[in-house]
Amino acid sequence: MTTDTPTDVPADSPTDGGPAPVTGAGPGRLAWQRRRRSLVRFWTRYRTHRAGVVGLVALAVFALAALTAPLTVGSDVAGVTDAPGRPMESPSGEFPLGTDRFGRDLLGLLVWGSRVSLLVGLLAAVLSVAIGTLVGVTAGHFKGGYATVLMRVTDWFLVMPTLVLAIALATVMSRSLGTVVLAIGVTSWPTTARLVRAQTLAVESRPYIERAKALGGGHWHVMSRHVLPNVMPLVLAQATLMVSAAILAEATLAFLGLGDPTVVSWGGLLQEAREAGAVSSGDWWYLVPPGIAIAAVALSFTLCGRAVESVLNPRLGVDR
Amino acid sequence: MSTQVHGRGLSGPRRSRPRVARLVAVVGAATLTLSAGLATPLDPAPQQASAAESKSVLTVAVAQSVDSLSPFLAQRLVSTSIHRLMYEYLTNYDPKDNHAVPGLATKWESSADKLTWTYTIRPDSTWSDGQQATAEDAAWTFNTMMTDEGAATTNGSFVSNFRKVTAPSPTQLVIELKKPQATMTALDVPIVPKHVWEKVDDFSKFNNDKSFPVVGNGPFVLTDYKPDSYVRLKPNKSFWRGAPKFDELVFRYYKDQDAAVAALRKGEVSFVAGSPSLTPAQAASLKNEKNIRVNDAPGRRFYALATNPGAKAKNGRKFGDGDPSLLDERVRHALFMAVDRQAIIDKVFQGHAVEGEGYIPPRFSQYFWKPSASQELAYDPARAAQLLDQAGYKKNSSGKRLGKDGKPITYRVLCHATDPNDKAVGQYLEEWWGKLGIGVTLDCLDNVTDPWLAGTYDLAFDGWSVNPDPDFVLSIHTCAALPATPKDTGATDNFVCDKRYDDLYARQLAEYDPAKRATLVQQMESRLYDLGYMNVMAYPNAVEAYRTDQIKSIRTMPSAAGNIYGQDGYWSWWSAVPAASDSSSDGSGSTGAVIGGVVAAVVLVGAGVFFVLRRRSTADDRE
Amino acid sequence: MSSVQKAAAPALAGPAARTPRARTGTAYVRYGAGKVGGAAVSLLAVLVTGFFLFRLIPGDPVKTMTGGRPVSAAQLDAYRREFGLDLPLWQQFTDYCGKALTGDLGTSYQFRAPVVDKIGEALPNTLLLTGTAFVLYTALGIVLGTRAAWRHGRLGDRLNTGLALTLYSVPSFWLGLLLIIVFSVGIGPIPGLFPTGGMESGGEEGLGYVLDVAHHLVLPVLTLVAVEYGQTLLVTRSALLDEMGSDYLTTARAKGLRDDLVRRRHAVPNALLPTVTLVFVNLGRTVAGVILVETVFSWPGLGGLFYQALSVPDLPLVQGLFLFFAAAVIIMNTLADLLYPLLDPRVGR
């Protein structure tokens, strides 16, 4: 039975049975039901990966903390003139994680800084994946000279040490969050591009694509209606892994002094700690919590990404 | 046989025996190597200890790496400090009160018309290769700077007013000036040996790092140099003021301040200067350490807020884009009055600074000036808001002050990305001026020189180290320091150009009577304060630390209370007396080396044993 | 992660990009020449990009270096002429390329020494650090990866993988700072055993010098190994798990070979192929790690030099370093490309 639906389930992943029963609804409604079933299927299998679930829970906690930050700590926590404590106090009842060099509550700063760190990580990853997908799909679809040029450029970017490039970019532009997002996004899209291109080539070799073209489907139709949905799961897995890398990159750039100094972020806290001499004074409370936060978020995204990968492509992911 | 095919369960117990045996073997090897390592005759500890017993080393942790060993090219403080130790200047500064004392020159006098200066060069100064240091060397040094572009890179400004320099006899140096110059007893120019340097053909490329020891006549002789790592000096036994007491002086480069402080704690270095001083947290944690003394003394720097007066060149052409509202003196005063200097001292410097007043720091007591009560711009946010209202910059409905163009005012503040104090104070400014209704964009850059020189800033953090003769820091605010055209660069610090200030400057430069000159300088400081283009927020202390079990005594400058590193003169390192205790510091270094060797050995031996045993177990199990 | 690495490995690994290549001599030479040619093109591209990218950095190097001193326009022009900055951009570029081909990368503005010399001074230090770390983390990753794969699903595997993933997510500079606090500064009663930075304490000769450097090397290498071994471990593990389902292994076991031998002699060598290419290709991340570690530990290598150069901007030095970093990665990739067909007889059929 043929179904002219926009989404197509990858031919090599197990389905739970035959096509949907025709209930008399239009193709749109059918598509919805099919999507919902795929999602349920996806979740059932994702749930079996314990590590992935742990990662997801942790992410939910962090997201909750970040979103409710304006309510729980409020932006006043970042104010320097009305800082409640003395500079560099050690942890006490009043300040569970001590104070920073201005006398601000470090626990509050940690929660407040999660917004920037998560936001920058997400934005940079989205930018990177968007560029990579665009490049990969078009390169895989069009082939020919255009694709060769594009792949050469991709290879060139792959070869460039990303941190060096990001530092150079951040130095050229002014110090702001936008610069950091741009610097990370622009330097880390090649891996996605390569993957997406390989997948595009694989998808385009399937018979139904040929059929769609024969039926008069133009480039845009094929790319958006056929290739993109099939490439999406891979892109999703990539994006999750990319967020992890982007968060680490943001922390690195902030630590190196290339971020916005007036904005509170985890990497920025680490840089302030170092500048204030916390390392040699043994003020561990300034140094340890932001690093743990960065590692925890990066790890959670990595775990989720790996779980998503193994759900979508059982051949690749081998662990539970 | 078939039991082994299915692997795990059945071969479990058989597998564990080789595993246990392996573990035992590794542990045994480790213990063996450890004890061997401690007893080995290759242990450098005995050699180190015996060497150290006869050799006292003063190790200074510096935060800059040397840019050039040539006194004609070097700009960085670490390089000029080292040159002060290698080469004598004509005069030096007394460590008690900064007045000029003999250096290479024993006497000096000026002619009646103030244009000719005659210096008597001492007969007892020899270069480290044995040759006599004479007036000819001094004349040659100055003449080279006057004629060669490359040689004038660092200190060309000192000789720009020289007409002719001659050495009529080996002990007499005559300098003829174009105009009177009161700074002739403060010529901070290293005198180099003519017989060595006349062989140099390109001064702009010669870095003086090709042959060691480097020939000089200062208290120390440079013996070794590794770029980005260290500089080693040995005492000059024939130094006319007396040889230094330490057997070796090493400047070691620590990029990271914390690493330097930790090294001090462990005894790897004897002295840490900080860049420019230790942070309050570091000072606090070191104060409680046994055998470490923290030197928290009045500093020689001022830390100020510079306001853009509208950049212009000497030919009258304006450039840059400083905010026009800053041209109103009331606005400048208002901005400064909204800066809570006490909070800066308290929170940012945590007590390691003195509140700023006049331009010149208080430790230069001769020239120090403070405003009277009526002249002072005290911290008064309410009055500041009033002033802004009076000047016509009123708040709109959302609390932001509008400029003459009807748009909310936002000032760009230039800050040095590498200076944490700039960033901290910048955040405070954002909030204080925010309450006034003025926006702040903090531009923290690695390279502030460019926007500064182009005049594309509104305010900036500024600071200089002041010398006993304040001429330099005064000259950078004269109209003569402006660039000739917008395309040139000038010596100007902040494009200040005021006729009254310039008049006073010219008079003090030609005034050879110290008391009269001091009065003129104080009048200049008053004028600068009123202008409001350069207001000093604080005088940061010099915060340094050294080990008392390596250094018994060391002279600060001023002697009563001052800094040790970066002095005007070589007093600190020259006068330092080693502590008589044992060489515990070197001990830790060699213990470390032993540990390093042991760890490496353990890893190698352990790995080797591991693989050997695996092979053996396989053979055992083979049927 | 496994999918990322497999696709990032040379195109040979991807099903869509496999082109037939025979293992005969001439075909290999043609293939090799192609790869080397590609590498040369990449290098040229890096040269071009490096040149133009860093001209974007705000800052007139001549003004930066003379700032604060009265310099006439004529003098500034003289400086510009000396540094070749007065020529039109295209001419500067061709001059630079021409000189680069002969090995002259220009003279550093701030150190007034040839760029090649400055890089040469710092390179051995960085190589020492990177090389040691590389050997250790590759070995550790492979050994632990194979063990984890073989004990797939059990506690040892889970712990191993978990630890690897955790350390991989930790920012390397933060780990470095922690190690300094714990092992250098010392907490509580534990004294600091290792130096806080630098490469040597100075003044040692011969064996003493070697041990001194080794002593200083421990913490930086430990930091790098901890952060990097995870990836090697994970790739080895997944590659091995892939292999483990293969038919030929079942045959081997059926023949009566010990598990150990099956693993060591058959599964691991075949599974190592993607690891080998990964290890070369991963150099980009290692470069980043090295820059951070050198900064934290004040190691006198290329990372620190890069920093000093960026602030002026010391254009020749920055370009030279950029070229050097990229060249290292390109060379490693090319080596991997050349090595792969030799290791894997399946490629090319």
Side-chain angles (χ1 to χ4, degrees), chain B residues 1 4-8 15 19 22 42 44 48 65-68 73 75-76 149-150 152-155 157 203-205 207 225-230 232 252-256 258-260 262-263 265-266 268 446-447 449-450 453-454 464 472 476 480-481 483-492 588-600 603 610-611 614-615 617-618 621-623, chain C residues 58-61 63-76 79-80 82 107 110-113 118 121 125 136 143 147 149-152 154 177 180 183-185 192-204 207-209 211-212 214-216 218 244 253-261 263-265 294-301 303-305 307-308 310-313:
Chain B
M1 202 151 74
Q4 288 164 4
V5 173
H6 296 296
R8 294 157 196 165
R15 272 242 203 96
R19 209 183 289 159
R22 254 180 257 152
L42 293 172
Q48 265 300 95
S65 62
V66 169
D67 52 345
S68 172
L73 297 176
Q75 314 262 26
R76 297 185 182 170
E149 287 287 9
T153 308
T154 313
N155 293 318
S157 52
F203 280 92
S204 64
K205 291 214 164 60
N207 283 315
Y225 166 61
K226 183 159 180 215
D228 276 348
S229 280
Y230 58 77
R232 315 182 86 87
R252 199 177 305 157
Y253 171 53
Y254 280 84
K255 189 178 340 191
D256 184 36
D258 284 317
R265 273 217 174 85
K266 290 166 64 179
E268 287 171 15
D446 273 323
N447 179 5
T449 318
D450 228 51
L453 289 177
W464 289 94
F472 175 71
I476 51 181
T485 71
K487 283 201 190 319
D488 299 319
T489 51
T492 187
S588 76
S590 52
T591 327
V594 169
I595 292 177
V598 163
V599 166
V603 167
F610 180 76
F611 282 115
R614 277 190 72 199
R615 218 154 277 281
S617 73
T618 317
D621 287 6
R622 218 173 271 153
E623 81 275 19
Chain C
D60 179 353
K63 283 205 171 158
T64 309
M65 282 186 301
T66 60
R69 287 182 292 121
V71 184
S72 63
Q75 171 92 35
L76 285 176
Y79 274 124
R80 290 217 178 81
E82 182 194 333
T107 310
Q110 58 181 319
F111 296 107
R112 292 181 158 82
K118 292 305 289 181
E121 276 167 15
N125 307 335
L136 284 177
V143 165
R147 309 210 113 215
W150 215 251
R151 289 171 173 71
H152 170 53
R154 284 161 62 190
L177 289 176
I180 290 182
F183 291 111
S184 256
V185 177
L193 289 172
F194 294 98
T196 42
M199 197 172 99
E200 50 173 328
S201 305
E204 307 259 4
L207 186 69
Y209 176 75
L211 287 180
D212 190 24
H215 187 219
H216 285 258
V218 172
M244 268 160 46
R253 268 195 230 106
K255 279 199 315 193
L257 272 181
R258 289 190 62 232
D259 247 4
D260 220 55
L261 287 180
R263 181 174 78 204
R264 255 190 309 117
R265 292 222 192 114
E294 282 189 7
T295 309
V296 168
F297 289 98
S298 301
W299 193 262
L305 206 56
Y307 252 122
Q308 287 192 50
L310 266 185
S311 54
V312 174

